[in-house]
Amino acid sequence: MNEVMNCALYRDGIRVRDLDFNHLDEVPNAPGQLIWVGLLEPDAATLAVVQRRFGLHELAIEDANHAHQRPKLEVYGDTLFVALRTARREGGYVVMGESHIFIGRGYVVTVRHGPSQSFAAVRARCESAPKALAKGEDFILYALMDFVVDSYFPILDEIEDEIEKIEDEIFTDHFVPKDIERVYELRRELITLRHAVFPLLDICTRLTRYDVPLVDRDTYPYFRDVQDHAIKANDTIDQLRETLSSALEAHLLLSSIRQNEVTKKLAGWAAILAVPTAIAGIYGMNFRHMPELEWTFGYPAVVAVIVGACGYLYYRFRKSGWL
Amino acid sequence: MNEVMNCALYRDGIRVRDLDFNHLDEVPNAPGQLIWVGLLEPDAATLAVVQRRFGLHELAIEDANHAHQRPKLEVYGDTLFVALRTARREGGYVVMGESHIFIGRGYVVTVRHGPSQSFAAVRARCESAPKALAKGEDFILYALMDFVVDSYFPILDEIEDEIEKIEDEIFTDHFVPKDIERVYELRRELITLRHAVFPLLDICTRLTRYDVPLVDRDTYPYFRDVQDHAIKANDTIDQLRETLSSALEAHLLLSSIRQNEVTKKLAGWAAILAVPTAIAGIYGMNFRHMPELEWTFGYPAVVAVIVGACGYLYYRFRKSGWL
Amino acid sequence: MNEVMNCALYRDGIRVRDLDFNHLDEVPNAPGQLIWVGLLEPDAATLAVVQRRFGLHELAIEDANHAHQRPKLEVYGDTLFVALRTARREGGYVVMGESHIFIGRGYVVTVRHGPSQSFAAVRARCESAPKALAKGEDFILYALMDFVVDSYFPILDEIEDEIEKIEDEIFTDHFVPKDIERVYELRRELITLRHAVFPLLDICTRLTRYDVPLVDRDTYPYFRDVQDHAIKANDTIDQLRETLSSALEAHLLLSSIRQNEVTKKLAGWAAILAVPTAIAGIYGMNFRHMPELEWTFGYPAVVAVIVGACGYLYYRFRKSGWL
Amino acid sequence: MNEVMNCALYRDGIRVRDLDFNHLDEVPNAPGQLIWVGLLEPDAATLAVVQRRFGLHELAIEDANHAHQRPKLEVYGDTLFVALRTARREGGYVVMGESHIFIGRGYVVTVRHGPSQSFAAVRARCESAPKALAKGEDFILYALMDFVVDSYFPILDEIEDEIEKIEDEIFTDHFVPKDIERVYELRRELITLRHAVFPLLDICTRLTRYDVPLVDRDTYPYFRDVQDHAIKANDTIDQLRETLSSALEAHLLLSSIRQNEVTKKLAGWAAILAVPTAIAGIYGMNFRHMPELEWTFGYPAVVAVIVGACGYLYYRFRKSGWL
Amino acid sequence: MNEVMNCALYRDGIRVRDLDFNHLDEVPNAPGQLIWVGLLEPDAATLAVVQRRFGLHELAIEDANHAHQRPKLEVYGDTLFVALRTARREGGYVVMGESHIFIGRGYVVTVRHGPSQSFAAVRARCESAPKALAKGEDFILYALMDFVVDSYFPILDEIEDEIEKIEDEIFTDHFVPKDIERVYELRRELITLRHAVFPLLDICTRLTRYDVPLVDRDTYPYFRDVQDHAIKANDTIDQLRETLSSALEAHLLLSSIRQNEVTKKLAGWAAILAVPTAIAGIYGMNFRHMPELEWTFGYPAVVAVIVGACGYLYYRFRKSGWL
């Protein structure tokens, strides 16, 4: 069965041996012992095995069956169900996955959905620190949550870089319609990330304040640390969203200023060029009796008038900043 | 009487027999027994029968008489009154209905108003799980609420699809006034849905935390599950509303960029075309003494000047991105 | 004295007799007895009579003297002072009045200011239900508050109708500056109504939750019912305000789209018409040596060029959607 | 010493005699006795006298030394420190001052900074009501706070009048750039006032709810009354700010409608006038072979064509509402 | 080791002697004794010394290793960890640093990162007041926090000055695209400052209300004072942000008014100048039979018509405010 990524038995923080997932039922409970099962997009049958062995609540199993949960912490008797949203950036786009964690006395079950990162790194880190691992199931929960939260930061850094480039373009007038589409996409991604991060604050608060089973007082600072990172991720997201809004607003203002300048220039040159057209039009009329046409210096005089009028207008527009 | 959709007696979770609504009074109370009455837009007389039989509070009956309640939970002594808003999509438009639920020791009464979906499916589901049904009235309340909340999701999916189409149109410049009217309608529908969903969060909180009669501790996870779905629906609604706002904003920005380009183009070509008009106007004057007119190469020289001036302007505008 | 609208003695919910307001002092207190005084814009002397007879707090009397209170509930020892804002629509405009209610053991005093509706209807309703009236002073308070809150709904319905008409005009392009002034007025009226409705939520909460004297546990559902109506009025107001904002935004967007179209059309036709003007200008010059002028088919050739150039431009503009 | 405005001894609510501020130390404490000191922008030495005599906390003295405190209530042991912001309107502009009040068993010290109003009126009012004054230090605090809060209303009334004038100008199209600057100033003044008023709500709440020394239960309704006035002032400020925002928005919309109309008119007349220019240009060409020029009725025919074309365009533009 | 800025032993508030950081381990704990260590961007080894000597929590050390913490208060057993963000203005730009403070029974460790100000001034101030210093570790924490919070105000004053200059430019029409970039930068700096200041409110609340170890009741007013300053800084930041928004809005409005005026002027003059062009064009046609051309007063008549038409248009535009 390909969907079982990991299934091992730990005693006092040390990995004892791998278990055969299909014979999980035959492993009895024992104090100081921990079974850690990792599943990837399991089918209903696989989940049923887990449910039977560890006595999980039907609603939690239902949640784990369907992805698209929002991050949440649910307490069923003395077991915990935690749903987290994981993020990865592929080809410049954020893609979201999900991880569901069941924690009970003596076991941890993780279920991954979608494009999430493997928890192998977390397992390796835990196994390399048997003392910490021996603290129990709550410490594994902390390690998993810490891993998920920390995975948001490189993504946020990349988005921040992109936003900085967009800012530069706005103020150097190289901003094109394509950029607006990109801003729009970035906004959506930030909203998606926010929906992944924000519920974590409440989850951590509940893990450290409320009467939650399994979580030891000593682990509280660790969950508060996760919460702190989540708050930081959340603040960064809010700040990036504000930056985008504010950049678009700056663009709109600049655009309005520039539009205004163009309109003024247009109006100015139109006025200047309309003068020779109008005057020349008059002396282009075919009336028989137009005395000025006979004058020897009629033509230079009219040209002088035209040049003078245009020059005066140019001077006036220049002074008032239109040209 | 057409408005009585269902009227049955259950014992230990199993449907015993249908009851004659008009002789409800003659059915005595008994432990382990449950009467489930389903009404569709009942008149005052029908409601009076129910009120008399189960001793419902006059204010609850008044509420059930008039539709247009907002979702709420009201406790009258040891009975509960829950008002829910149901939604359906007909011909591309969201239409709202209402369901009122009275729960007391030994009975459940549902009253439907407007274009709501039949609760037959809920009854079928409950009857197929006698163990669950035997848990009592609170489980039926859960089943009804779960059904109502789950009915929002297909509607939200349809709206999401429509919004995605609108987004595509915005960025490909196929956005027409008609679309704005549609965006406007979608916004209103989302607000209407939000008014249906949002109060559910509070209702579920009160059902699981406060000293509410009839609701058993074991049913708490179920109501928290309903709440979770309601939160998800609510989040989706907020996200869709944000998406619409942000799409309109993007449209406005694109529109301003394009308007700016049009204005620049207009200004540029106006300037280029004003040059031959002004120069030709001058040599169209009828002065007797205009030496240039007599020159052999006067005409080609002027044409060259015109072409040169226009060419230069074109080059300048091109370089500065106006044309 | 014209300002005394009503002054009656009730015993066990039944109106016993009218009292002479000026001899109120001579009526002794007695259990099961209730004095109900209704005043309309009373002067200080009249209020002083009431204050002396029922021992009202000086701050409450001061409040009742000046209108322009915001809705509030104040507890002075074992008496309650409730200020409400009432609304009426006159000539298409919302006008606000005020009602102040003093409730103590054995008496109810109502003071109306401004264009409020008479409480005669409330009195009639109460007197027709002696059982309810016998419940005591808190029931009268409920009846008065219920009456005031219900009076908001017809006003909100009228405003809603008007807003729907404005929406239609926006999308059919019949929206004129006058309409904006109207939208602006409607917004102000909605804000005024909100200031009347919103504080009621808190007043009702306090009447049903806090240690407020005089209010019986049995009356709690009634005040919660008033609160429910107030929430509904409040939601409607918020929704109407959102509708107006969103309608104005839609108008702005439509307006920008249409402006864009006008600008494009203007630019297009200006370009097309500038072509014959420029070409004809050139052949209108009076140079002696312009070979084309001598050609037999010079004129038709130029006309053909003009028509061709204009036609080509028209085709191009048409294709790109400018014309 | 000019900065000591008042320094008097009260016994049982009656002013006994004025005290020499420099010999304050020699006045012993006694039950039923109250010392009321009023200072105007005192220097550090003067404040030191007060601090020594009444044992004030160093942080409070530091606050009183520097103005620019935000309104606050601080409890140091069994003394209260209250900072208030006072407002006056001078030459159409709001100017803010500050008042600091120290209250302890047997004394009240007021310190005024900046352009605040004299508290002489408060003293006079208190002295004219010995019974109230005998209630103690908390009643003086009430009287001072009441005075400060009531001083906001005439200012808000003036601002409201000005805003109404601006509204009228917006809808009659007499709105000029100068007005925008004024709107901008009014907004800032409202924000400044809000910063003065808003913290009062919390101060009053704490004075009536929390375990604050010196404040008697009987004085609670008085502080709630002050709070009520503060809430009203706050509501008015919010409403005026909303009115300004909404007026500016209306202006922007009207402006966009009018701009649109101007653009349409411009486009319309430009098109109409371009027709004779283009046609006349063609017949102004100097080709030798232009048969129409020889026709007897060529000229009237062309004039007729021009008039016809212009008339047709005019009719079309008129019909579509452009002209 | 360059990164140890200070390492001293205090007894009863008096500096006894400097300690050798590398032999910190050899200094035993003793009542009434305090070790104060100041580090600047320490490496992991240096932090390890401190951790070993004072038994600090691993998570706190991890935080102190990486800068980029948000301000926070963390309690580990009976030690406190406080992270603060410090600000400095260099070359017109705000640069942020960080300070981490560990407080435990008998020691204070400060760790500075980035461009923060030296705490030497705080040490000097504390040492000059041995009585205050003798109050204990919490007083040093107060002194450090007070120092950090007070360092925000000169920066805010500078930003305020700059914003006032920008306001002036907006209303005198000297606002250029460069200014918008500046406004944009100022906004970002204010947001950054807000992220430094805002969490302090909560930190101070927790230091004065919750069950935090080490903090004495007598120090509460001091932390409330810090909180007060933080609230003031926060209010100032919000007010400056509002001012910037409102200034930009005013600019947009003014810009729209001015654009409108330019458009009207453009339209007006275009109409006036189009008249002679069109009329002269007609009499410039070369028709053989144009009777007006033969009239003796044809030319002056046409000129009179032109002048009259233009004058009439000018008068009309003038009256309607277009010119």
Side-chain angles (χ1 to χ4, degrees), chain E residues 41-161:
Chain E
E41 301 190 344
D43 55 22
T46 311
L47 278 174
V49 172
V50 169
Q51 181 179 15
R52 214 168 42 233
R53 171 60 185 87
F54 302 119
L56 306 178
H57 197 281
E58 56 162 332
L59 286 170
I61 288 296
E62 207 180 280
D63 282 345
N65 249 321
H66 315 293
H68 302 301
Q69 297 298 317
R70 49 191 301 280
K72 69 168 177 177
L73 163 68
E74 189 56 77
V75 182
Y76 300 107
D78 56 352
T79 70
L80 298 181
F81 172 71
V82 178
L84 302 173
R85 289 186 73 71
T86 56
R88 252 163 61 183
R89 205 166 155 98
E90 288 174 4
Y93 291 91
V94 174
V95 289
M96 305 299 292
E98 271 185 64
S99 293
H100 301 156
I101 306 167
F102 298 86
I103 305 262
R105 189 67 59 205
Y107 64 89
V108 172
V109 180
T110 61
V111 181
R112 294 197 290 123
H113 289 274
S116 59
Q117 285 163 284
S118 160
F119 286 148
V122 182
R123 271 198 305 275
R125 196 184 130 199
C126 284
E127 291 173 6
S128 71
K131 257 192 211 169
L133 189 51
K135 283 183 186 170
E137 302 80 7
D138 52 349
F139 189 81
I140 296 179
L141 178 60
Y142 152 71
L144 289 165
M145 289 178 70
D146 193 49
F147 177 76
V148 168
V149 171
D150 281 350
S151 75
Y152 299 138
F153 289 100
I155 294 172
L156 290 175
D157 286 348
E158 280 183 47
I159 292 179
E160 192 163 14
D161 289 350

Side-chain angles (χ1 to χ4, degrees), chain B residues 58 74 184 241 259 294, chain C residues 167 222 224 242 260 288:
Chain B
E58 56 162 330
E74 189 55 79
Y184 183 77
R241 287 175 68 192
Q259 169 99 7
E294 313 298 324
Chain C
E167 284 178 339
Y222 293 90
R224 278 202 296 263
E242 260 186 280
N260 223 339
R288 180 160 297 183

Side-chain angles (χ1 to χ4, degrees), chain A residues 86-88 97 99 112-120 147-148 150-152 154-155:
Chain A
T86 57
R88 251 164 60 183
S99 292
R112 294 197 291 124
H113 289 274
S116 59
Q117 285 162 283
S118 160
F119 286 146
F147 177 76
V148 167
D150 281 349
S151 74
Y152 298 138
I155 295 172

Side-chain angles (χ1 to χ4, degrees), chain A residues 33-264:
Chain A
Q33 163 191 302
L34 180 88
I35 298 173
W36 189 345
V37 181
L39 304 176
L40 177 63
E41 302 190 344
D43 56 21
T46 310
L47 278 175
V49 171
V50 168
Q51 180 180 15
R52 215 169 42 235
R53 170 60 184 86
F54 302 118
L56 307 179
H57 196 280
E58 56 162 332
L59 285 170
I61 288 295
E62 206 178 281
D63 282 345
N65 248 321
H66 315 293
H68 302 300
Q69 296 298 317
R70 51 191 299 281
K72 69 169 177 177
L73 163 68
E74 190 55 78
V75 181
Y76 300 108
D78 56 353
T79 70
L80 299 181
F81 173 71
V82 178
L84 301 173
R85 290 185 73 72
T86 57
R88 251 164 60 183
R89 207 166 152 98
E90 289 174 2
Y93 291 92
V94 174
V95 289
M96 306 299 293
E98 270 185 65
S99 292
H100 301 156
I101 306 167
F102 298 85
I103 305 263
R105 189 67 59 203
Y107 64 89
V108 172
V109 180
T110 60
V111 181
R112 294 197 291 124
H113 289 274
S116 59
Q117 285 162 283
S118 160
F119 286 146
V122 183
R123 269 198 306 275
R125 196 185 131 198
C126 285
E127 290 172 6
S128 71
K131 254 190 213 172
L133 189 52
K135 284 184 186 168
E137 302 81 7
D138 49 351
F139 189 81
I140 296 179
L141 179 59
Y142 152 72
L144 289 165
M145 288 178 71
D146 193 49
F147 177 76
V148 167
V149 171
D150 281 349
S151 74
Y152 298 138
F153 289 100
I155 295 172
L156 290 174
D157 286 347
E158 280 182 48
I159 293 180
E160 193 163 12
D161 288 350
E162 228 185 306
I163 289 176
E164 267 167 30
K165 261 183 233 140
I166 287 170
E167 283 178 341
D168 288 351
E169 282 176 358
I170 281 175
F171 289 111
T172 53
D173 203 10
H174 291 307
F175 199 65
V176 294
K178 199 77 203 159
D179 287 320
I180 290 188
E181 191 164 357
R182 190 69 193 125
V183 166
Y184 184 76
E185 282 166 9
L186 288 173
R187 274 189 160 183
R188 295 196 67 175
E189 295 192 342
L190 287 171
I191 292 173
T192 308
L193 284 171
R194 200 175 190 280
H195 278 96
V197 173
F198 190 73
L200 286 171
L201 308 190
D202 182 50
I203 291 173
C204 290
T205 301
R206 284 174 61 207
L207 282 170
T208 52
R209 288 225 194 121
Y210 285 72
D211 239 26
V212 162
L214 291 167
V215 181
D216 206 73
R217 267 208 149 259
D218 287 352
T219 331
Y220 282 11
Y222 293 90
F223 286 116
R224 276 202 297 263
D225 197 63
V226 171
Q227 185 176 35
D228 237 66
H229 291 207
I231 292 175
K232 211 187 124 193
N234 198 53
D235 282 3
T236 307
I237 290 168
D238 285 353
Q239 212 163 338
L240 291 176
R241 288 175 67 193
E242 260 185 279
T243 303
L244 277 180
S245 295
S246 159
L248 287 180
E249 201 186 331
H251 168 70
L252 206 61
L253 277 166
L254 283 172
S255 181
S256 121
I257 288 185
R258 285 174 190 142
Q259 168 101 5
N260 222 338
E261 279 165 9
V262 168
T263 309
K264 280 175 176 172

Side-chain angles (χ1 to χ4, degrees), chain B residues 49-63:
Chain B
V49 171
V50 168
Q51 179 180 16
R52 214 170 42 234
R53 172 60 185 86
F54 301 118
L56 306 177
H57 197 281
E58 56 162 330
L59 285 170
I61 288 296
E62 209 178 278
D63 282 345

Side-chain angles (χ1 to χ4, degrees), chain C residues 266-302:
Chain C
L266 168 60
W269 284 113
I272 289 176
L273 281 165
V275 167
T277 307
I279 294 177
I282 285 168
Y283 291 104
M285 293 193 292
N286 298 318
F287 285 99
R288 180 160 297 183
H289 304 287
M290 290 179 70
E292 299 97 319
L293 297 179
E294 313 298 323
W295 296 352
T296 311
F297 296 105
Y299 172 53
V302 161

